[in-house]
Amino acid sequence: LLASGEVAAFTQLVLEQDVAAAAAHIAGLRARGVPLETVFLDLLGPAARCLGDMWNEDLCDFTQVTVGLWRLQQIVRELSPAFCDAAEPQYQTRRALLVPAHGEQHTFGLYMVAEFLRRAGWDVAAGPVASTAEMLVLLRDQWYAVVGISVSCDVRLEGLAAAIHAIRRASRNRGIGVMVGGPAFLERPELAALVGADASAVDGRQAALQAESLLALAARRA
C-alpha cells in the first residue's frame, strides 16, 4: 500500500519540516485507504530506524535525530485514540510495564510497543525510570503481568541479566514475563535467552502477541 521510497521521503520530511507537515502526509495516506497498522509498522517504525541509520552513517547529528524521533512520537500520540479505538480493556490480568534500559536516550520504539499493547486491551505504563532501583519499586508496589525492556545497542546489555534477575526477585507477580526488544535483539535474537528474558519481538505487533503468549503460559503454570 505504501509507494516505493515512501519511508525515505517521509524520514526527510520529519527531519526538515514540523509535526504538522508529517501529520498531513499521514492524513493523505489514510485518505488513500492505508490502514493505521500499516502506518505504524511500515512507515513510522522504519522511519525511526532510518533516522538511526543516518546517525550511524554521519548523515545527520544527534540533535537532528532527537528532534526527528520527538516528532514521530508526537505523531504516535495524535494517532493513538484512533489506533486504540477498538481496544477492549482487560486490565485485571493485562498490565504491562515498559522501560528503556538505563542510559537509553531514544525511546520511540518503546512507545510504539505500548500502542500495540493498548490496542490489544492492555493497561500500559511506559517511559524512562531514573534507575533500576526505581523500576524495582514499581514492580513491588503494583502487579504487572509483563515487563518489557528496550535496548538499542550492545553497550546497554551490560548488567541487563542482573537487572532481569532482580526484576524476578522483586516483582509482586512471582510469575512475571520479561520481554526485551530493540536493535540489539533484532540483530542477535539469541541474546534474549542469554540475558534471562522470556521473549523478544521485532515490532509492536509481535510484542503484543508475545505478551499474550507469556500471559497464557503463566496461567497454565498457576
Side-chain angles (χ1 to χ4, degrees):
L1 291 172
L2 296 181
S4 176
E6 186 86 52
V7 172
F10 182 73
T11 302
Q12 285 301 130
L13 180 67
V14 168
L15 276 173
E16 296 170 3
Q17 298 193 42
D18 57 14
V19 172
H25 183 85
I26 290 173
L29 293 177
R30 296 182 67 191
R32 279 174 24 208
V34 177
L36 265 183
E37 183 168 295
T38 299
V39 170
F40 273 62
L41 290 175
D42 298 337
L43 183 66
L44 299 180
R49 289 192 291 274
C50 189
L51 287 173
D53 291 341
M54 291 173 72
W55 181 29
N56 289 333
E57 296 166 12
D58 291 326
L59 297 175
C60 59
D61 61 30
F62 180 81
T63 300
Q64 289 174 301
V65 171
T66 299
V67 171
L69 289 172
W70 177 84
R71 287 171 179 159
L72 289 177
Q73 195 164 311
Q74 291 299 110
I75 291 166
V76 169
R77 285 177 178 157
E78 290 181 8
L79 295 175
S80 178
F83 187 67
C84 300
D85 184 54
E88 296 181 4
Q90 301 175 54
Y91 291 168
Q92 293 84 355
T93 56
R94 287 171 169 76
R95 301 193 70 242
L97 175 66
L98 305 181
V99 298
H102 183 62
E104 289 286 354
Q105 298 289 326
H106 296 139
T107 57
F108 177 75
L110 191 79
Y111 288 109
M112 286 278 283
V113 169
E115 290 302 309
F116 275 87
L117 284 172
R118 290 187 180 111
R119 193 185 197 202
W122 287 71
D123 178 17
V124 183
V129 290
S131 63
T132 299
E134 182 176 310
M135 176 179 62
L136 297 180
V137 169
L138 292 173
L139 291 165
R140 288 190 192 100
D141 288 347
Q142 299 188 53
W143 189 96
Y144 291 98
V146 169
V147 59
I149 305 172
S150 175
V151 184
S152 65
C153 60
D154 288 355
V155 173
R156 308 295 180 199
L157 292 173
E158 186 177 348
L160 184 58
I164 290 174
H165 180 68
I167 285 169
R168 297 193 190 282
R169 289 177 59 109
S171 175
R172 177 175 287 193
N173 173 14
R174 307 310 293 178
I176 193 168
V178 180
M179 296 194 304
V180 289
F185 296 99
L186 288 177
E187 297 170 5
R188 298 171 62 194
E190 72 278 6
L191 288 176
L194 292 177
V195 298
D198 298 306
S200 64
V202 300
D203 56 33
R205 178 169 56 190
Q206 189 180 101
L209 293 173
Q210 292 281 25
E212 293 290 342
S213 295
L214 292 177
L215 195 65
L217 181 62
R220 287 198 296 270
R221 287 175 176 170

